[in-house]
Amino acid sequence: MKQAEIIGVKTSGNNLHGYEEAVESFDWKEAEKAFSWYETGKVNAAYEAIDRHAETERRDQVALYYSDPDRKEEYTFREMRDQSNRFGNVLKKIGVKKGDRVFIFMPRTPELYFSFLGILKVGAIVGPLFEAFMEGAVRDRLEDSEAVALVTTPQLLERVPVDELPALKHIILVGATGELTDGTYDFEKEMEAASPNLEIEWMDREDPMIIHYTSGSTGKPKGVLHVHNAMIQHYQTGRWVLDLQEEDIYWCTADPGWVTGTSYGIFAPWLNGVTNVIRGGRFSPDDWYQTLQDNRVTIWYSAPTAFRMLMGAGADVAKKYDLSHVRHILSVGEPLNPEVVRWGLEAFNRRIHDNWWMTETGGILISNYPQMPIKPGSMGRPFPGIKAAIIDDEGNELPPYRMGNLAIRTPWPSMMRAIWKNEAKYNEYFRIPGWYVSGDSAYMDEEGYFWFQGRIDDVINTSGERVGPFEVESKLVEHPAVAEAGVIGKPDPVRGEIIKAFISLRQGYEVSDALKEEIRAFVKEGLAAHAAPREIDFKDKLPKTRSGKIMRRVLKAWELDLPTGDLSTMED
Ligand code: WTA
């Protein structure tokens, strides 16, 4: 095994013990003391994130700096409290109750954040959706969760098949114009009429808080359910991994449709009372650097695909901006290439700290702790209070350098508590007693650093988004020209993986570039832009098992010129 390259510690934080010390002495019970339940037994994550600070001398500190190409606004903790209270009252007025699912389907704007917090304050379960979702994706999620209310915009409402969603009774429109039909409300008008004082719904720690839908290798997307108790993890990892301190200005680039955009785009910064930067609009290197510069961001949390795009634009672009105030940079979502870590040193004179977790884990579990040497290419070591291991399929822990299942000892505060209406799926993660089995394969080195190897299932990770091949295949075969489809992730220098589809056509259809384009657009329209295959190959026949399953493994081997492995189950 080759000696790992090591980059020493440069950033330092006041919040931090040394890593080893913290591992020795930390207990989750200590972290709990930061919150009201320590005294009252009840809690509400939105109260802890916003109102708690609005009741102290921090009330007039900026909680949210928002900007997009058309808007530039700021809100203090007190204003965030009042706005989210108003939205809570709007929901109460229309009859939303504790435990109801209320979804948000809109671009990143301040209204999204007022709504998100207001939903939690009345005890409802929030379901954030990516603005990029098309009708099919929206329907699946609202149907499965039986959402009763939706916050959206008039433009996006066109992608909500309201007539096919019997549970969905209320639509709240941000930017509504003209006449509103029954059950439809004008966000601005309702907010104006609502009181800024709200009676918050006090929750038990184990009461549901948020559903994030995420893709697996088979079946429809699954609704990963988290409870209010998850905030302990958001708070503590925010403090120690993100190194959030009171005077920090923090920017997490993730959309709330993705768990990173809620756990670390909402909860971690605000639970720690830190000023949060939200940038709407699209990615461009200049725009991003401008955002860092103008807001004087000190802590920046993003993803490998974004860092690779910035790298592609060149260190020169970075050098045009004053980024000297950035003291800590972090990355999550897919493997962070060592090359990118080295580039970060060159462009920002800072280490990029990789960390590992999943929608299901709710929060960071493995990280390059700030006060720890980095081995580029490694995800780091388990957070204090977390036990991670590499285990075989029987649950035996494997020695260093042996590849196996990356698993975590159960439980931890932000562990998912259910897959919505799908207990069997949930139980699959916990099939080995005492462990959560992640579905990732990895190994550990003798110093306890974890090294990611791949997904054990076929889930594709394109630009940090999890895409289930089955979902894309199902959409493809809905196209009249497509007989069968097999979808794989193909390694890509910028996006990590891209989606590649192998397609056999129905009788009467001819291979052509126009058809390729049409099929691509079909998936884009029906599912989401990020789920559309960037590459399509037409084949007369796809490799299949005798039971008729398309063998993605074989497609991948063909594509990458790898040995195809055992073909005994393949149909002739
Ligand atoms: C992958 C993301 C390598 C992994 C918060 C995991 C990573 C899946 C890393 C979860 C990392 C996440 N290095 N791979 N640092 N972080 N992954 O649910 O396969 O969108 O299982 O949550 O992303 O993706 P999810």
Side-chain angles (χ1 to χ4, degrees), residues 4-7 336-339 341-342 368 374-378 451:
E5 172 191 358
I6 293 181
I7 303 177
L336 181 66
N337 326 68
E339 193 189 339
V341 177
R342 281 181 224 114
N368 283 284
I374 285 181
K375 301 183 185 181
S378 162
W451 299 75

Side-chain angles (χ1 to χ4, degrees), residues 427-474:
N427 291 338
E428 278 173 28
Y429 290 91
F430 303 96
R431 62 183 177 274
I432 299 176
W435 295 99
Y436 163 83
V437 182
S438 68
D440 285 354
S441 65
Y443 68 84
M444 191 184 74
D445 68 19
E446 72 277 347
E447 287 175 308
Y449 282 70
F450 284 79
W451 299 75
F452 180 82
Q453 299 297 293
R455 284 291 298 173
I456 287 162
D457 57 26
D458 301 321
V459 173
I460 299 166
N461 193 329
T462 179
S463 298
E465 307 226 31
R466 264 163 84 172
V467 178
F470 180 77
E471 222 183 331
V472 182
E473 287 162 3
S474 307

Side-chain angles (χ1 to χ4, degrees), residues 258 333-335 354-355 358-359 379 440 452 455 461 466:
W258 185 33
E334 37 169 335
D354 190 14
N355 50 87
M358 304 173 66
T359 303
M379 309 187 288
D440 285 354
F452 180 82
R455 284 291 298 173
N461 193 329
R466 264 163 84 172

Side-chain angles (χ1 to χ4, degrees), residues 120-169:
L120 296 185
K121 282 183 167 182
V122 301
I125 305 172
V126 64
L129 299 178
F130 282 111
E131 170 195 2
F133 282 150
M134 303 307 280
E135 184 168 319
V138 174
R139 184 201 295 111
D140 283 349
R141 288 157 177 82
L142 295 180
E143 202 167 56
D144 184 66
S145 63
E146 294 172 284
V148 304
L150 177 70
V151 189
T152 186
T153 65
Q155 295 76 13
L156 292 174
L157 184 60
E158 287 168 23
R159 299 194 211 142
V160 185
V162 179
D163 297 340
E164 299 164 41
L165 297 165
L168 185 62
K169 298 197 188 70

Side-chain angles (χ1 to χ4, degrees), residues 74-86:
E74 54 182 74
Y75 298 89
T76 62
F77 277 103
R78 186 168 22 189
E79 289 167 328
M80 290 303 289
R81 175 194 63 191
D82 293 352
Q83 295 291 37
S84 52
N85 278 353
R86 283 177 194 275

Side-chain angles (χ1 to χ4, degrees), residues 3 116 175 199 214 296 348 361 379 381 386 400 451 465 512:
Q3 189 60 45
F116 186 98
E199 207 147 312
T214 190
R296 303 197 60 77
F348 311 122
T361 73
M379 309 187 288
R381 295 157 84 184
I386 297 295
W451 299 75
E465 307 226 31
S512 75

